[in-house]
Amino acid sequence: MENQPPVRVERRPVSEDESRRANGPDWDRYADEYQATHGEFLGDVGFVWGPEGLTEAEARVLGDVAGRDVLEVGSGAGQCSRWVRQQGGRAFGLDLSLRQLQHSRRIDEATGIRVPSVLGTATALPFADDSFDVVFSSFGALQFVSDIADAVAETARVLRPGGRYAFSITHPTRWMFPDDPSEAGLVAGQSYWDRTPYVEVDDTTGQVAYVEHHRTLGDWVALLAGNGFVITDLLEPEWPAGHERVWGGWSQTRGRFTPGTAIFGARLG
């Protein structure tokens, strides 16, 4: 990535504070390149659940959003929330990166579909109890959060009874493999059950520059059930025929054999 500091990779425990202080600035640095590289694929008013290209119009994990209050956690430039607003939902965004929210404002002006958005974190949502009918995250904040139990509990707090929660993440089985789109990325080299975070440290300052956290499928089930959610969906999109886009470690080469994305859908209570 352009403008990224030289880093060394470690595997070690990382606190929520370290994760937040690393990932916010990291996304600020990366936001321009991310939007330039992936913006057309995502669409200014588009809801894509992952690199495979599965859309919410196809998946329908959120259900009917018309007339619903909807929160996107890790909203980035607001593409998904903008799609929700186009469908008649009252969508709001939250992101840790100011630069991503600036891109959201830019696209708001270009499209005329405005997504009210705030700077914040998934572990301390700045909203009252029972504020939303739907909360979702499309490859948003969850993998970058250390205190994931707090994030899920916060989602349950701001959802109304019977509300919908949905999120997409890197498929947990991918943790076993190197993040490589070539055939080398099909050879397992790490235990699926090793939850030690992936950490990049800035070589020049010694500061943590990027963190990603891993949970197993069983961990996610326990987290959701423990916060009063009933799981209704677990989608593992297949790689579409003829889809040749390479996005980080996602590619046709790997996608033909192993899932890259997991999409959870749940109902509160």
Side-chain angles (χ1 to χ4, degrees):
M1 294 183 289
E2 296 177 2
N3 303 319
Q4 295 291 78
V7 297
R8 66 178 184 272
V9 173
E10 300 178 353
R11 297 275 187 168
R12 64 173 175 82
V14 182
S15 69
E16 175 61 29
D17 184 60
E18 277 186 295
S19 297
R20 195 177 305 166
R21 283 190 286 110
N23 289 328
D26 180 78
W27 273 105
D28 283 341
R29 288 189 297 268
Y30 181 38
D32 291 357
E33 181 186 346
Y34 180 87
Q35 295 300 332
T37 303
H38 304 298
E40 183 177 355
F41 176 73
L42 297 172
D44 287 347
V45 186
F47 195 137
V48 179
W49 278 111
E52 296 85 1
L54 180 67
T55 66
E56 171 57 13
E58 298 168 309
R60 306 300 297 169
V61 182
L62 301 186
D64 185 2
V65 295
R68 303 296 182 96
D69 295 310
V70 181
L71 173 64
E72 180 179 8
V73 178
S75 55
Q79 288 96 336
C80 295
S81 286
R82 215 167 279 109
W83 181 88
V84 169
R85 284 196 164 254
Q86 188 181 63
Q87 309 307 307
R90 293 181 292 272
F92 300 83
L94 175 142
D95 203 277
L96 187 62
S97 167
L98 177 61
R99 186 57 179 160
Q100 285 281 59
L101 294 180
Q102 289 173 335
H103 278 287
S104 185
R105 177 63 63 85
R106 170 181 61 80
I107 301 173
D108 284 352
E109 296 299 324
T111 62
I113 303 176
R114 292 171 171 79
V115 177
S117 300
V118 297
L119 187 69
T121 174
T123 57
L125 298 174
F127 302 102
D129 297 358
D130 303 329
S131 293
F132 297 99
D133 302 298
V134 179
V135 176
F136 75 92
S137 182
S138 176
F139 266 94
L142 302 182
Q143 296 176 146
F144 309 111
V145 170
S146 176
D147 294 343
I148 191 63
D150 291 346
V152 177
E154 276 289 272
T155 297
R157 180 184 65 79
V158 302
L159 269 176
R160 294 168 183 143
R164 293 285 297 166
Y165 183 31
F167 58 89
S168 60
I169 54 172
T170 300
H171 198 287
T173 57
R174 278 286 177 96
W175 193 252
M176 299 183 293
F177 304 98
D179 191 28
D180 187 327
S182 72
E183 290 185 355
L186 291 169
V187 180
Q190 173 163 314
S191 169
Y192 170 73
W193 297 278
D194 182 357
R195 298 165 177 83
T196 308
Y198 170 90
V199 182
E200 294 180 359
V201 179
D202 185 333
D203 261 342
T204 59
T205 66
Q207 297 295 311
V208 175
Y210 176 84
V211 180
E212 191 163 335
H213 298 271
H214 166 62
R215 285 97 193 178
T216 67
L217 287 168
D219 292 340
W220 284 112
V221 170
L223 278 164
L224 291 168
N227 284 277
F229 288 101
V230 176
I231 296 172
T232 57
D233 304 271
L234 175 52
L235 305 182
E236 300 165 294
E238 293 188 47
W239 195 265
H243 183 43
E244 297 181 356
R245 184 179 183 82
V246 175
W247 184 330
W250 282 261
S251 66
Q252 186 179 61
T253 298
R254 298 179 78 192
R256 288 180 299 151
F257 296 102
T258 181
T261 299
I263 307 168
F264 283 85
R267 182 183 71 254
L268 183 62

